[in-house]
Amino acid sequence: MMKYSLFLSVFLLVGVIFIGSLNVNASCPAFPGYNVTNYQRYPNDIVVELSLLSPGPYGNDIQNAVVHLSFVNAEVLRVRILDADNQRWEISDIINKLVPSNEPFNSLYETKVHAADPFSFAVIRISDGSVLFNTSPTDENGNCLFNGLIFSDYYIELSTQFESPNPNLYGLGERTTQLRLLNNYTYTIFNKDEGTASTPNINTYGSHPFYMNLDSKTGNAHGVLLLNSNAMDIVIQPQSLTYKVTGGILDLFFFMGPSPLQVIQQYTSVVGKPHMPSYWSLGWHQCRWGYRTLQDTMDVVSNYTYYNIPLETIWNDIDYMDDYKDFTSDPERFPPDQYGAFVDSLHANNQHYMMIVDPGISNATGYQSYEDLISSGGYIRDAADGVSPVIGMVWPGFTAFPDFFNPDGVSFWQQQLQNWYNVVKFDGIWIDMNEISNFCSGNCWNIDPAPQPGFDPNFPPYIPGGIQLSDRTINMSSIQSTAYGDVLHYNIHNLYGYSEGVATRRALENIQGTRSTIISRSTFAGAGYHYSHWLGDNKSTYQDLYYSIPGILLMNMFGVPLVGADIGGFNGNSNGPLLARWMQLGNFYPFSRNHNTYNGVPQEPYVFGEQVMNISIAAINMKYTLLPYYYTLFHFAHTQGNPVVRPLFFEYSNDENTVAIDQQFLLGSHIMVSPVLVEDAVTVNAYFPDDTWYDFFSGELMTYSGQNATLDAPLEVIPVHLRAGAIIPTQPTYNYEKPANGVPITTTIARTLPFELIVSLDQGIYAYGQLYLDDGISLDTYENGFYSLIEFELTSDSVTFKLSSTIDTNGYDASHLNIGSIKVYGATSLPSNVVVNGQSITTYQFNNYLLIENLEIPLSETFEIDWS
Ligand SMILES: *[C@@H]1O[C@H](CO)[C@@H](O)[C@H](O)[C@H]1NC(C)=O
Ligand SMILES: *[C@@H]1O[C@H](CO)[C@@H](O)[C@H](O)[C@H]1NC(C)=O
Ligand SMILES: *[C@@H]1O[C@H](CO)[C@@H](O)[C@H](O)[C@H]1NC(C)=O
Ligand SMILES: *[C@@H]1O[C@H](CO)[C@@H](O)[C@H](O)[C@H]1NC(C)=O
Ligand SMILES: *[C@@H]1O[C@H](CO)[C@@H](O)[C@H](O)[C@H]1NC(C)=O
Ligand SMILES: *[C@@H]1O[C@H](CO)[C@@H](O)[C@H](O)[C@H]1NC(C)=O
Ligand SMILES: *[C@@H]1O[C@H](CO)[C@@H](O)[C@H](O)[C@H]1NC(C)=O
Ligand SMILES: CC(=O)N[C@H]1CO[C@H](CO)[C@@H](O)[C@@H]1O
């Protein structure tokens, strides 16, 4: 009775307590879990003590557990389930960026804790009463749906029932997948080098145990993160979702939205908002495995210049290395002095250079980096003696692996990168093979060691995905040194690439003193706070051209906005039409890089003839023209977590037609891209949400709204549409005449060109846009106030129109930047009079849209343009 009065006393606070009677029948569920032995209510926390009712299937059950339901702020609830008696591996301290609110708040949610046996809890959205998460094993009719909580050393299980079956779920990466998850499928989360398989839905390089659930009837979305680094399966069935996790703790975060965008803003407030990328990293990148010599690499750059194709960054794959050893170059093929001079010559043209670095350090005799690693002590250790480096096999043969949890491993890494920077002044680093990928699968001797008695991490009782965990990676029994002491690789495998990314970012910032540009294959939740990603080894197929769209959209939802797929396709051979289509789509990826495998036929934009080259140049120009808009979107990614590219349902969340659309996407909230993804197709079937749309290029008003349309798209055309209500800042490069001195077009030049504002009028005759400017490379420009944020607004009474700017912040000297022209889509006739800052002008015309040109309006000052 004591407990009941306690419940009543807290009833009036944020949480609501539910004490239901449950139809517990003996066999349902098979594992009822825990009962509640104590309960405490604090202002922003509920603490529930649990004791084991029924052991789970694999033994080593935790007898006493404790649940902390923490009301972090109005939109975020955190539920942690811990062992009451023993410390277990958990990652929250490493990754949690969120400072809980100290202010009182009115939650968007309430929680219900089922206090009678067995324990369960529910999370309810207050505004509409919908139950977002409910771990009760039985449904309202008493049918048994799943087990209660199972919490044992090497196996944890928790399920939730859906309020209505087959919800719209998104997330649970990384994998090659359609955007909307299947409603009857087991998703494995475990980092793996799945390079050549490209099998849809299986686990690949990164781990993002986060999903969004969208109720398209109300348009309300919520998100759930299970912050846990162990291998896991997430079983989705029509009525339920079950986590099956191999260790750690349950650390769940609930994000209340209610819009999809708000869910991502809240999610990134926990795992970290994306870093601000360098401006140049948004330019055009060319790479391939197979630029075998420095001369090959230089020839590609020369060809780009010869054909007048913008090139921002040239990359080398593992070809440059001496026997594939990190931090070396082949003395014949890439002589160090010529190599360094070549990179200097790129810099003289404002071009950039990146190359690959793998974590595996060759154990070849006399290799300095290996000796440095061993003497640092910062390597992953073998379980056999707990001291020797664990040895795997990667490109250079036998390798040891730095332990990036170990501060000595981090220092080792920084020193090696510094040494290499002294040879080649690279601008960014491409980190690959960091799942960890190992050609040997556990050990290199094909010994199949018998499972050790008791718990053997190489043979855990439950194996997510059903494939031995050491497949293509190192032993799970390997040992890493963390701030919490020695931890089995078993627990932190999914964090290897993340820890390497964090260490690499720190090193580059120390070495270069500027923003780092790091493209990594492996990621974990929150990776985008530190570094960026490409989607890995795809194939030169139309299928993978399509998969790149859900790929970039999901990574943007995961808070990793600077992302792209290998343009042209990596494995297999590309061809002219496929490359043309991929150049068109790929130049809308936030990160645009053409990359190819060793044996593939060349696929640089100039190799398939003039038509494909022209299409490629137009595509790159489109990206460069939109750079001010991209960069502004990145600013809002960095400060608010907003995805740069978004699924249509983000903006039209109660339009049922949008929930599964993943062949089109939005850039920001107003530019819709509908690429051709089918061989030989010259039309696209595209959905137009209920709104006003203009053709982005011609300004033509579209007649489609809330319906599909068949759009003409011959090879040189990618359909792009602009939603009404926007003011898009652009810097067109189309008409830019290359200077005679042979200096190639780069983002350095592009960002000095005159601006063109593209205005799209909506029915209310209103439009709005923003422009973020800074020097594009210094650290923390926003945080330190060295930026300008300009707002553009168009208002009208439908007779007179006023377009004006407000300078929100003016910490960046933009006096060298001018607005040269303005296009107004949706204007219906030629104005009789246009006045710029009080002066009448005559340089305007009407042809489908209003074009005002020959302007020279400094961006560093506010302006007003009126017409009627
Ligand atoms: C919880 O379960 C244990 C073990 O069955 C039992 O001893 C205890 O009385 C139960 N407590 C409550 C509050 O039901
Ligand atoms: C779910 O998938 C399983 C295994 O593929 C299958 O046996 C089952 O019938 C499916 N259930 C539904 C409701 O589709
Ligand atoms: C440069 O372009 C020419 C013409 O397409 C081609 O023959 C040559 O192989 C190219 N070189 C490189 C390194 O791409
Ligand atoms: C590298 O590791 C392999 C496998 O453990 C071993 O056989 C070899 O002797 C090592 N090489 C050196 C130079 O230590
Ligand atoms: C792999 O695991 C076994 C069993 O724990 C251990 O003896 C062995 O040394 C480990 N390392 C390698 C590289 O095989
Ligand atoms: C490619 O573009 C150039 C320059 O605009 C033009 O002269 C040429 O005719 C175009 N070639 C093709 C095949 O479209
Ligand atoms: C649009 O076309 C797609 C693909 O053909 C189809 O699945 C969808 O139902 C259509 N949507 C509408 C609103 O007609
Ligand atoms: C296995 C693999 O990495 N597949 C990738 C290749 O194709 C698409 C994009 O083109 C990626 O999203 C896949 O993950």
Side-chain angles (χ1 to χ4, degrees):
M1 275 306 35
M2 256 294 290
K3 250 193 336 188
Y4 286 72
S5 57
L6 185 74
F7 285 175
L8 287 174
S9 73
V10 299
F11 189 83
L12 296 174
L13 298 173
V14 183
V16 173
I17 308 309
F18 170 66
I19 313 148
S21 68
L22 208 62
N23 242 347
V24 188
N25 93 40
S27 59
C28 169
F31 299 100
Y34 288 78
N35 64 9
V36 174
T37 55
N38 201 0
Y39 172 95
Q40 293 288 330
R41 177 65 219 235
Y42 303 97
N44 286 335
D45 282 289
I46 297 173
V47 179
V48 187
E49 290 172 23
L50 304 180
S51 105
L52 181 67
L53 278 176
S54 57
Y58 301 118
N60 293 74
D61 291 270
I62 285 152
Q63 288 298 322
N64 303 305
V66 57
V67 185
H68 295 263
L69 299 106
S70 309
F71 310 106
V72 177
N73 57 40
E75 300 87 24
V76 180
L77 167 73
R78 181 180 195 179
V79 178
R80 293 167 85 215
I81 305 182
L82 308 166
D83 182 340
D85 304 317
N86 297 294
Q87 174 93 42
R88 295 174 60 78
W89 166 250
E90 62 174 298
I91 58 174
S92 47
D93 291 352
I94 295 170
I95 201 161
N96 182 17
K97 306 288 184 302
L98 187 68
V99 183
S101 172
N102 286 323
E103 306 291 310
F105 51 80
N106 290 320
S107 288
L108 299 184
Y109 54 87
E110 59 187 359
T111 58
K112 292 185 178 179
V113 174
H114 189 274
D117 304 342
F119 159 78
S120 71
F121 71 94
V123 182
I124 294 127
R125 187 200 306 284
I126 289 174
S127 65
D128 60 5
S130 52
V131 182
L132 310 182
F133 204 85
N134 180 1
T135 70
S136 171
T138 49
D139 68 13
E140 55 204 4
N141 303 318
N143 298 317
C144 196
L145 294 175
F146 45 68
N147 292 324
L149 169 67
I150 298 174
F151 192 9
S152 65
D153 270 348
Y154 313 110
Y155 183 75
I156 305 174
E157 184 178 309
L158 183 73
S159 301
T160 176
Q161 47 177 287
F162 300 132
E163 196 169 32
S164 43
N166 302 318
N168 300 305
L169 300 174
Y170 311 89
L172 306 182
E174 183 182 15
R175 59 198 78 253
T176 303
T177 175
Q178 60 187 47
L179 181 65
R180 185 186 181 279
L181 293 174
L182 302 168
N183 285 108
N184 185 26
Y185 192 80
T186 297
Y187 289 99
T188 299
I189 294 192
F190 188 63
N191 290 2
K192 191 159 182 184
D193 176 0
E194 267 298 346
T196 47
S198 272
T199 312
N201 301 320
I202 61 172
N203 53 306
T204 61
Y205 315 113
S207 290
H208 299 268
F210 164 75
Y211 70 82
M212 182 188 287
N213 182 334
L214 170 69
D215 178 349
S216 55
K217 287 188 195 67
T218 59
N220 287 338
H222 68 274
V224 181
L225 166 68
L226 172 58
L227 186 55
N228 178 297
S229 58
N230 281 81
M232 67 180 83
D233 275 338
I234 298 172
V235 183
I236 296 180
Q237 290 172 294
Q239 295 204 44
S240 65
L241 179 149
T242 299
Y243 294 102
K244 298 184 171 186
V245 190
T246 59
I249 62 161
L250 289 171
D251 192 357
L252 290 155
F253 289 81
F254 299 90
F255 309 101
M256 294 298 134
S259 73
L261 186 68
Q262 287 168 313
V263 170
I264 301 305
Q265 291 172 342
Q266 293 151 11
Y267 171 62
T268 52
S269 73
V270 169
V271 299
K273 306 231 184 251
H275 67 282
M276 190 66 195
S278 54
Y279 202 93
W280 66 264
S281 64
L282 308 184
W284 174 251
H285 301 264
Q286 178 67 54
C287 184
R288 89 161 284 173
W289 180 18
Y291 295 147
R292 284 300 286 168
T293 64
L294 186 61
Q295 192 59 50
D296 284 350
T297 315
M298 294 161 106
D299 287 349
V300 175
V301 177
S302 306
N303 269 357
Y304 262 92
T305 306
Y306 177 78
Y307 290 113
N308 210 353
I309 309 170
L311 174 66
E312 188 73 15
T313 312
I314 186 80
W315 297 43
N316 279 113
D317 204 316
I318 54 176
D319 306 278
Y320 75 90
M321 297 176 185
D322 181 18
D323 285 335
Y324 304 125
K325 296 198 294 285
D326 279 350
F327 316 115
T328 68
S329 77
D330 185 279
E332 258 106 63
R333 292 179 296 105
F334 285 82
D337 51 335
Q338 291 170 38
Y339 193 176
F342 165 64
V343 172
D344 293 344
S345 76
L346 291 172
H347 293 160
N349 283 339
N350 296 314
Q351 290 175 310
H352 296 87
Y353 180 74
M354 289 182 63
M355 77 279 129
I356 200 167
V357 176
D358 292 338
I361 300 294
S362 163
N363 78 347
T365 311
Y367 173 40
Q368 187 62 43
S369 296
Y370 181 70
E371 289 174 11
D372 293 347
L373 178 62
I374 297 307
S375 59
S376 79
Y379 50 82
I380 303 185
R381 289 171 284 139
D382 196 325
D385 60 7
V387 179
S388 313
V390 72
I391 298 291
M393 185 177 283
V394 205
W395 297 112
F398 291 118
T399 61
F401 301 96
D403 177 359
F404 298 104
F405 277 91
N406 183 336
D408 296 329
V410 173
S411 315
F412 158 79
W413 195 243
Q414 150 121 20
Q415 189 57 55
Q416 300 302 311
L417 286 167
Q418 176 70 64
N419 294 347
W420 179 239
Y421 189 73
N422 294 343
V423 180
V424 171
K425 299 268 174 300
F426 57 80
D427 295 283
I429 299 258
W430 171 24
I431 50 178
D432 191 16
M433 307 300 279
N434 50 358
E435 290 72 33
I436 300 172
S437 177
N438 179 8
F439 300 160
C440 285
S441 292
N443 65 59
C444 292
W445 300 269
N446 291 324
I447 337 164
D448 227 349
Q452 305 290 306
F455 172 66
D456 182 340
N458 295 321
F459 299 90
Y462 180 81
I463 302 179
I467 296 170
Q468 190 159 359
L469 295 178
S470 60
D471 183 48
R472 280 176 260 174
T473 189
I474 60 170
N475 243 325
M476 292 299 116
S477 57
S478 309
I479 301 164
Q480 296 194 238
S481 307
T482 78
Y484 307 90
D486 287 355
V487 174
L488 292 174
H489 187 71
Y490 175 82
N491 289 305
I492 55 179
H493 171 82
N494 286 344
L495 288 167
Y496 189 75
Y498 179 88
S499 65
E500 186 196 19
V502 173
T504 307
R505 177 193 173 157
R506 194 169 311 161
L508 290 204
E509 285 185 3
N510 288 337
I511 294 166
Q512 299 173 323
T514 56
R515 283 176 219 169
S516 58
T517 299
I518 299 163
I519 302 293
S520 170
R521 196 166 71 183
S522 188
T523 57
F524 187 79
Y529 179 83
H530 301 280
Y531 63 89
S532 305
H533 179 57
W534 99 104
L535 293 175
D537 298 348
N538 59 7
K539 292 207 260 318
S540 299
T541 61
Y542 285 87
Q543 183 73 3
D544 275 4
L545 178 66
Y546 151 67
Y547 275 127
S548 72
I549 301 176
I552 59 167
L553 293 177
L554 286 163
M555 276 295 154
N556 270 260
M557 291 172 67
F558 296 146
V560 187
L562 186 62
V563 62
D566 281 345
I567 292 167
F570 179 70
N571 287 312
N573 289 325
S574 207
N575 58 60
L578 176 61
L579 184 73
R581 290 309 191 187
W582 217 319
M583 290 294 293
Q584 289 170 332
L585 169 56
N587 275 288
F588 280 96
Y589 301 157
F591 169 65
S592 303
R593 183 186 73 160
N594 179 319
H595 182 41
N596 193 1
T597 191
Y598 190 70
N599 295 315
V601 301
Q603 62 184 42
E604 290 80 9
Y606 47 77
V607 301
F608 294 118
E610 198 174 66
Q611 187 194 15
V612 173
M613 185 170 79
N614 283 3
I615 290 169
S616 300
I617 293 172
I620 299 170
N621 273 327
M622 182 74 196
K623 178 77 175 278
Y624 281 30
T625 297
L626 284 169
L627 280 178
Y629 183 58
Y630 273 96
Y631 197 62
T632 303
L633 291 172
F634 270 102
H635 167 69
F636 289 106
H638 175 58
T639 53
Q640 293 177 22
N642 300 354
V644 169
V645 288
R646 302 170 196 173
L648 269 59
F649 76 75
F650 265 59
E651 297 293 326
Y652 304 95
S653 61
N654 51 17
D655 178 352
E656 199 89 39
N657 295 316
T658 63
V659 299
I661 291 180
D662 59 9
Q663 307 205 348
Q664 299 170 260
F665 59 96
L666 292 165
L667 171 58
S669 49
H670 282 81
I671 296 179
M672 182 167 74
V673 183
S674 311
V676 173
L677 303 170
V678 177
E679 184 167 13
D680 294 334
V682 290
T683 59
V684 187
N685 178 38
Y687 180 68
F688 283 79
D690 189 3
D691 218 321
T692 302
W693 297 93
Y694 299 94
D695 183 287
F696 189 86
F697 304 101
S698 71
E700 183 196 344
L701 177 67
M702 306 309 289
T703 54
Y704 315 106
S705 182
Q707 72 200 95
N708 280 331
T710 302
L711 306 170
D712 282 337
L715 193 60
E716 67 279 8
V717 170
I718 177 169
V720 182
H721 294 87
L722 181 59
R723 178 185 179 185
I727 301 179
I728 308 288
T730 70
Q731 280 173 297
T733 55
Y734 298 102
N735 303 323
Y736 175 70
E737 285 297 328
K738 203 177 87 150
N741 62 10
V743 175
I745 300 172
T746 57
T747 61
T748 305
I749 291 174
R751 65 178 315 211
T752 63
L753 300 178
F755 276 76
E756 178 167 272
L757 300 182
I758 302 180
V759 182
S760 58
L761 296 181
D762 71 4
Q763 283 126 348
I765 320 186
Y766 181 80
Y768 175 80
Q770 287 161 305
L771 172 64
Y772 176 85
L773 297 166
D774 66 14
D775 73 4
I777 190 74
S778 295
L779 287 166
D780 302 327
T781 46
Y782 170 71
E783 291 73 6
N784 294 325
F786 298 130
Y787 69 98
S788 293
L789 185 62
I790 302 168
E791 293 179 277
F792 306 106
E793 189 178 43
L794 183 139
T795 54
S796 169
D797 57 10
S798 84
V799 179
T800 58
F801 295 78
K802 178 174 117 177
L803 173 64
S804 60
S805 73
T806 334
I807 298 181
D808 197 69
T809 310
N810 205 3
Y812 171 71
D813 181 7
S815 55
H816 61 297
L817 298 173
N818 293 317
I819 297 172
S821 54
I822 293 164
K823 285 178 175 172
V824 185
Y825 295 172
T828 49
S829 58
L830 184 71
S832 53
N833 184 20
V834 175
V835 177
V836 177
N837 288 333
Q839 303 255 295
S840 281
I841 60 157
T842 56
T843 53
Y844 61 92
Q845 51 177 290
F846 180 83
N847 185 2
N848 236 344
Y849 56 84
L850 169 63
L851 172 66
I852 308 175
E853 54 190 345
N854 293 340
L855 301 171
E856 209 171 310
I857 304 173
L859 268 173
S860 52
E861 289 160 34
T862 58
F863 67 84
E864 179 176 328
I865 305 177
D866 303 273
W867 67 88
S868 53

